Amino acid sequence: MLAIDARDVAKTFRAGWIGRRETVALDGVSLGVERGAIFGLLGPNGAGKTTLLSIFATLLLPDRGRITVLGLDVVKDATEVRRRLNMASGNASFLWNLRPPEILSFYGRLYGVSGRALRRRVDELLTVCELDPHRRVPYNELSTGLKQRLALAKSLLNDPELLFLDEPTLGLDPDVSTRLRRYVASLRRERGMTIVLTTHYMREAEELCDEIAFIKAGRIFARGSAGDLKRAIQLGDVIALRLDPPDVRLDDAPGVLRAVAANGWIEYTVDAAEKRVPELLQRLHADGVVVRGIEVREPDLEDVFVEMAR
Amino acid sequence: MIGSRAEKCWRAEGLLRAEATAVWAFAVRNLQMATRNVFLLFELLFWPVVGVSTIGLMTRFLALSTEDAAFVLIGQMAFSIVSTCQLDVAYSVIYDIWSKSMKHQFLAPIGIRHLTIGSWTVGILRGTLVFLLTGGLAAWAFRINVFDPGLGPVVTLLAGCFLTAWIVGVCVCALIMLFGGRAETAAWAPINLVLALSGIYYPVSVLPSAAAHVARAIPLTYFLDTYRSNFGFPSAYPHAALTGFALSAGYVMLSHWALLAAVGRARRTGLLLKMSE
Ligand SMILES: Nc1ncnc2c1ncn2[C@@H]1O[C@H](COP(=O)(O)OP(=O)(O)OP(=O)(O)O)[C@@H](O)[C@H]1O
Ligand SMILES: [Mg+2]
């Protein structure tokens, strides 16, 4: 069962009443997200990630394409869709002189929660998101991390089936990000929430997402698990060697794609480490070269990102 | 059978409660913002008091009769009430422009009726306060009792002012949703001009004929006309109050539709997102 089923979504922004400027933000995106999955959207700045999330969340109307969210049409059944999803973004902003409980109560009421149920819900979310000590602080005096957590708390008010997170850990310190990621993972585990997130942090995508779509210039460029993407891009593995004597070179060995020397180490990029490591060692052994150090690295998603964004 | 009827009842009640809750959300927010900010309190007191004082002193200088003075003061008071109340309606989107939080409320399953009616109720509250305050001031400082006609006419006048304020406020919201935050300052001008044409300080009959036509299309004109008839100024229109209400109903629907269309357009052009970052 798909939580999101989008076919051929396109969106062009048109600015200016006279002398129109056009920006193609999405150019025929098709995407399916399984229920209960954590799905990551990756891509360079201006790729169209936020635009795509906004269309799924009914904040923006697509120019073309058919989009079903939780089995409902996002354009025709927008109100019903809104009841069942929510969204938090890393650069969210709320009324400057209201306090966290007031902000949460306001949005809670918009979802029809009132009275004691509302108070209970707000208290619970303030506790879960560790905002309890800051109950009386006006919004514009909260730190970035607290603002972000408040945005997350707001997005959980209606206990959504589908949650969109637009760069949820933007500007957070590593410790807070880690805890937030853990919490997001627990949302899926404990409540079966479907989560779609955008991020620029590869660690985040690798750690959290079952599936990743790489989007560039308004098109889906590649999709799959983090492992799939790495394989697809054929970046190769890296074998770093420190040899004695240090000037021995193996550039002509089979499977070697590149060789770079730095700080006494030579890094060989090979097609598949598990096959090439024994071959290289054998050859070095035969030549009587001493291996002082060896390191084998798989490329991480960061390398994939840099490669794809090119 | 009985079960299904009970269920229908229960669902209708739930729906009604959700409606009321969403309206209440905007009312509470406007109240919180109003009480949190001393300048808003200042705004509530300052301009109406200054307005009524200057106009009152002017009537004294011109040695107007009590009736003539009442005529002008009523216009000034109505203007203060409408201004105050419409500001509250407009705040329902202006706060979100200022705080760049627009998308969150349109992400929720609400209609624009919740937003406008919710903030309007706070506007009614503040408008009533302005009326009592300026009316009291007029009675105390200038010996003109604007409450004289009694409860019925007073309620009709206030209803007219609040309806006008709703229409003006919703139009301002629509303009802002259409042009974005930069329209905020420009949005007040044309609407206030139209209001000024409704014969605040003078009978509509003294207006040049083109302006008089515009005045006849403004509901407030009729509400002022009927209220002033209690102070010895014969009404220029048959069924003035009724005409006022009918006109208001038309404009209420038109402005509601305008805001609906503006929000729809903002969703299409991406302005809704731009107002949130
Ligand atoms: N509301 C808008 N009005 C006009 N143009 C827009 C709007 N929102 C986005 N764009 C344009 O559409 C393109 C895609 O933007 P989008 O915000 O979706 O990118 P993104 O992938 O989220 O980027 P980032 O990683 O920087 O957040 C960009 O060229 C941007 O300038
Ligand atoms: Mg973005």
Side-chain angles (χ1 to χ4, degrees):
Chain A
M1 180 85 175
L2 289 179
I4 299 175
D5 184 9
R7 305 269 168 84
D8 194 29
V9 182
K11 182 75 198 177
T12 300
F13 289 107
R14 294 181 173 82
W17 295 73
I18 27 172
R20 298 202 139 197
R21 277 172 290 119
E22 298 201 343
T23 315
V24 179
L26 293 175
D27 186 14
V29 169
S30 297
L31 193 68
V33 177
E34 292 286 336
R35 275 206 198 215
I38 300 185
F39 191 98
L41 278 174
L42 250 57
N45 290 126
K49 303 178 297 289
T50 303
T51 306
L52 190 59
L53 281 198
S54 306
I55 290 178
F56 291 160
T58 78
L59 287 171
L60 187 66
L61 292 170
D63 292 344
R64 123 175 102 78
R66 234 201 50 236
I67 303 148
T68 319
V69 166
L70 301 167
L72 299 160
D73 188 297
V74 278
V75 180
K76 288 198 210 90
D77 308 316
T79 307
E80 183 54 30
V81 171
R82 281 176 206 139
R83 258 185 256 285
R84 296 164 58 183
L85 60 74
N86 214 321
M87 183 169 188
S89 47
N91 57 4
S93 171
F94 298 111
L95 254 61
W96 62 97
N97 61 6
L98 295 188
R99 298 166 183 147
E102 294 166 342
I103 290 169
L104 291 181
S105 302
F106 170 69
Y107 290 107
R109 289 188 188 105
L110 299 191
Y111 287 93
V113 192
S114 60
R116 208 173 310 147
L118 179 65
R119 242 168 319 179
R120 206 169 335 113
R121 189 109 197 88
V122 168
D123 284 342
E124 184 188 301
L125 286 171
L126 286 174
T127 308
V128 169
C129 296
E130 299 171 48
L131 285 161
D132 256 330
H134 313 279
R135 279 174 164 268
R136 301 199 51 78
V137 184
Y139 181 75
N140 60 1
E141 288 173 27
L142 293 173
S143 71
T144 310
L146 295 172
K147 284 179 180 166
Q148 223 101 313
R149 273 186 261 162
L150 182 62
L152 185 69
K154 179 250 139 191
S155 73
L156 297 172
L157 276 164
N158 60 332
D159 203 1
E161 290 164 57
L162 177 58
L163 180 64
F164 295 110
L165 301 173
D166 195 3
E167 304 189 32
T169 54
L170 185 76
L172 298 185
D173 72 45
D175 175 44
V176 175
S177 315
T178 307
R179 273 188 298 173
L180 193 130
R181 280 200 286 273
R182 234 176 265 152
Y183 184 58
V184 169
S186 79
L187 284 175
R188 183 264 292 272
R189 210 171 42 241
E190 285 157 24
R191 302 195 209 176
M193 226 177 253
T194 310
I195 297 165
V196 180
L197 60 89
T198 74
T199 180
H200 287 129
Y201 303 115
M202 300 307 123
R203 283 264 313 280
E204 188 161 297
E206 203 155 4
E207 193 181 313
L208 273 179
C209 302
D210 310 307
E211 201 174 359
I212 293 166
F214 193 91
I215 177 168
K216 188 171 120 183
R219 285 169 177 276
I220 302 246
F221 196 71
R223 61 173 293 182
S225 66
D228 293 340
L229 287 184
K230 288 180 207 166
R231 270 191 294 281
I233 205 83
Q234 287 193 316
L235 277 179
D237 302 330
V238 172
I239 304 171
L241 294 168
R242 203 154 65 85
L243 304 175
D244 191 7
D247 52 350
V248 177
R249 298 296 295 242
L250 300 163
D251 300 20
D252 58 341
V256 171
L257 305 171
R258 282 189 295 278
V260 184
N263 310 326
W265 289 78
I266 307 177
E267 292 192 352
Y268 294 101
T269 306
V270 298
D271 50 1
E274 66 267 34
K275 181 148 167 262
R276 301 304 175 192
V277 170
E279 286 178 12
L280 289 179
L281 289 179
Q282 229 158 39
R283 177 166 158 189
L284 289 167
H285 184 69
D287 293 352
V289 179
V290 182
V291 178
R292 298 259 177 236
I294 177 163
E295 253 177 43
V296 179
R297 267 189 287 120
E298 285 190 343
D300 52 21
L301 205 53
E302 191 106 24
D303 303 319
V304 177
F305 185 96
V306 171
E307 191 63 28
M308 285 197 176
R310 247 183 230 158
Chain B
M1 190 65 201
I2 290 171
S4 86
R5 187 186 296 168
E7 190 176 320
K8 246 185 220 157
C9 247
W10 179 78
R11 282 188 53 177
E13 198 193 310
L15 222 61
L16 209 65
R17 180 165 319 145
E19 284 286 302
T21 305
V23 167
W24 182 233
F26 285 97
V28 171
R29 185 174 74 159
N30 269 32
L31 268 180
Q32 281 167 338
M33 293 300 281
T35 51
R36 206 61 50 84
N37 189 343
V38 283
F39 293 104
L40 284 177
L41 191 72
F42 181 76
E43 177 186 272
L44 176 67
L45 299 178
F46 185 77
W47 294 116
V49 168
V50 166
V52 166
S53 306
T54 42
I55 296 295
L57 289 171
M58 191 178 74
T59 62
R60 196 175 277 175
F61 165 67
L62 296 174
L64 296 187
S65 68
T66 313
E67 288 75 28
D68 286 343
F71 184 100
V72 196
L73 274 173
I74 289 164
Q76 173 61 35
M77 286 171 63
F79 190 75
S80 295
I81 297 166
V82 173
S83 300
T84 308
C85 181
Q86 60 115 23
L87 207 55
D88 258 303
V89 177
Y91 278 152
S92 62
V93 304
I94 288 180
Y95 284 147
D96 288 280
I97 291 269
W98 286 342
S99 65
K100 300 183 180 299
S101 59
M102 191 68 84
K103 69 178 173 192
H104 298 294
Q105 66 191 29
F106 288 107
L107 184 67
I110 56 154
I112 60 164
R113 61 185 180 284
H114 301 120
L115 175 152
T116 49
I117 296 175
S119 44
W120 187 49
T121 49
V122 178
I124 290 179
L125 193 76
R126 297 213 303 167
T128 309
L129 277 176
V130 165
F131 177 67
L132 295 175
L133 190 77
T134 48
L137 183 67
W140 173 73
F142 306 109
R143 307 257 162 261
I144 291 164
N145 186 0
V146 291
F147 308 118
D148 218 20
L151 194 61
V154 164
V155 169
T156 309
L157 176 71
L158 282 178
C161 288
F162 294 143
L163 281 171
T164 309
W166 195 90
I167 295 159
V168 173
V170 172
C171 286
V172 172
C173 290
L175 283 173
I176 290 172
M177 294 305 292
L178 205 56
F179 297 102
R182 67 206 152 98
E184 186 201 314
T185 36
W188 312 109
I191 288 158
N192 276 309
L193 177 72
V194 168
L195 263 190
L197 283 177
S198 62
I200 290 175
Y201 304 126
Y202 34 75
V204 172
S205 55
V206 305
L207 288 171
S209 77
H213 279 300
V214 178
R216 264 200 291 280
I218 303 171
L220 191 61
T221 306
Y222 298 91
F223 291 108
L224 285 173
D225 178 88
T226 169
Y227 197 68
R228 283 163 173 165
S229 68
N230 297 301
F231 290 85
F233 297 92
S235 180
Y237 312 100
H239 316 298
L242 212 63
T243 316
F245 282 119
L247 267 181
S248 299
Y251 286 123
V252 163
M253 280 191 286
L254 271 180
S255 51
H256 179 83
W257 173 83
L259 180 53
L260 204 63
V263 172
R265 186 176 184 281
R267 274 191 212 275
R268 211 166 50 246
T269 58
L271 186 62
L272 198 61
L273 300 176
K274 244 192 253 168
M275 290 191 284
S276 326
E277 58 197 25

